[in-house]
Amino acid sequence: MRPDPGILLVDKPGGLTSHDVVARARRALGTRKIGHAGTLDPMATGLLVLGVEAATRLLTFVVGQDKTYLATIRLGVGTDSDDADGEVIDTSDASGLDRVQIDAAVADLRGAISQVPSRVSAIKVDGRRAYELARAGEEVTLTSREVTVARFDVLAERRVDGVIDLDVVVDCSSGTYIRALARDLGAALGVGGHLTALRRTRIGPFEVTDAVAVDDLGGAPLRAVADAACDVLPRLDVTAEQARDLRHGKRLRGLAGAIEGPRAAAIAPDGALVGVVQPRGGDLKSEMNMPEEARA
């Protein structure tokens, strides 16, 4: 029997890819229809948001949520992947750096910044992932992108043999690469830098403290579709007649002003998720409809 649709929060351990976790969830729940909202590198741990059955349709609205990470940045060593999985390409004595210099460089990486993603990121270049090109020895040139780093704070500092390890916390917009922050911090300080540990603790309203371990996927509770939609989108309560119109592809005339922002979760009187609506002129139309059996 197929599982009910819903959102599943998983605490990914190190050493597994995001696809590995999805594969385990498919076996544990007995369905192929599972996807995730945002990958984590094998070395990284923490929150993965999985969509089960029709809830995979909600993942596109989860991907763009802000995120929080705990990370460790090593100053004094640069790698070709900007993290500990890569080959060391340069070393410097970072012992001469003081905390004032470090804090100033960290502050320069807060706010709206222009960031070039790591060459081993999952960004596609001419239809292929950047990391695939890099591993094949091909030249990878990625363009910079605007991201927002709302918080980048140093929590602890350790100094050993000319190397400085910084434990940091980062709140950032979707699309921010923490490996690139480590690289750019090291470059700004003139000593090189890379990421030695990474843990994602939050995606939008979802917290890793509510996630289950990969060994507990079979009995894990799912967040109901309607509740999950309202977690990430504003709620719009509609009448039974309006719900029926939306399900039939009709617009809700003159109701564009009923929502704030670009979209909202339309909820029927029985609490079911009808779908996601967006303004079109002065009207509201469905951007995504949920199947009848998956609206609870």
Side-chain angles (χ1 to χ4, degrees):
M1 186 174 71
R2 293 193 308 177
D4 292 333
I7 293 294
L8 176 59
L9 307 182
V10 182
D11 188 350
K12 187 188 88 67
L16 294 182
T17 66
S18 299
H19 182 73
D20 290 336
V21 175
V22 170
R24 290 195 183 193
R26 286 170 175 166
R27 290 193 297 271
L29 299 179
T31 178
R32 294 287 304 168
K33 199 169 184 181
I34 296 180
H36 65 78
T39 61
L40 280 175
D41 294 331
M43 69 164 276
T45 68
L47 183 60
L48 273 180
V49 177
L50 305 187
V52 179
E53 295 292 337
T56 55
R57 301 187 184 195
L58 293 178
L59 295 180
T60 185
F61 308 109
V62 177
V63 170
Q65 300 287 311
D66 291 349
K67 299 170 177 65
T68 298
Y69 295 90
L70 296 174
T72 300
I73 296 172
R74 177 159 295 173
L75 299 175
V77 181
T79 71
D80 61 0
S81 64
D82 304 326
D83 64 21
D85 286 339
E87 298 293 328
V88 173
I89 55 175
D90 62 74
T91 60
S92 299
D93 184 355
S95 60
L97 295 174
D98 60 35
R99 187 58 181 267
V100 173
Q101 292 171 294
I102 292 171
D103 286 345
V106 167
D108 286 341
L109 291 171
R110 296 193 192 109
I113 63 172
S114 181
Q115 182 186 77
V116 178
S118 169
R119 61 191 292 271
V120 293
S121 67
I123 292 173
K124 285 191 174 181
V125 180
D126 295 330
R128 295 178 63 190
R129 301 289 184 185
Y131 63 78
E132 294 175 345
L133 297 172
R135 290 168 183 167
E138 299 182 36
E139 186 67 27
V140 180
T141 302
L142 299 175
T143 58
S144 62
R145 55 174 60 188
E146 296 298 315
V147 298
T148 300
V149 178
R151 176 170 59 155
F152 185 8
D153 294 336
V154 177
L155 304 177
E157 172 188 318
R158 296 177 296 281
R159 295 171 179 254
V160 179
D161 297 331
V163 168
I164 302 175
D165 282 345
L166 302 176
D167 295 333
V168 303
V169 57
V170 179
D171 291 336
C172 58
S173 62
S174 178
T176 304
Y177 284 88
I178 311 303
R179 283 176 297 173
L181 282 181
R183 176 201 65 206
D184 293 346
L185 179 63
L189 292 167
V191 296
H194 73 281
L195 200 66
T196 63
L198 182 66
R199 179 166 177 79
R200 186 160 64 196
T201 61
R202 181 185 64 88
I203 300 176
F206 303 117
E207 301 278 352
V208 73
T209 51
D210 297 319
V212 299
V214 292
D215 291 336
D216 299 326
L217 290 173
L222 300 183
R223 181 75 168 153
V225 172
D227 293 338
C230 293
D231 286 336
V232 296
L233 296 169
R235 177 183 177 123
L236 175 68
D237 289 298
V238 297
T239 68
E241 182 180 358
Q242 289 169 336
R244 185 170 56 252
D245 285 346
L246 288 171
R247 289 164 180 160
H248 292 162
K250 296 181 180 179
R251 297 189 179 198
L252 302 185
R253 299 295 179 185
L255 289 184
I259 69 172
E260 294 183 5
R263 56 182 57 87
I267 306 296
D270 62 358
L273 174 65
V274 180
V276 176
V277 296
Q278 60 183 354
R280 279 294 182 270
D283 305 331
L284 287 176
K285 72 178 292 291
S286 288
E287 179 180 1
M288 181 275 288
N289 270 351
M290 292 300 291
E292 190 73 43
E293 68 278 6
R295 289 173 179 148

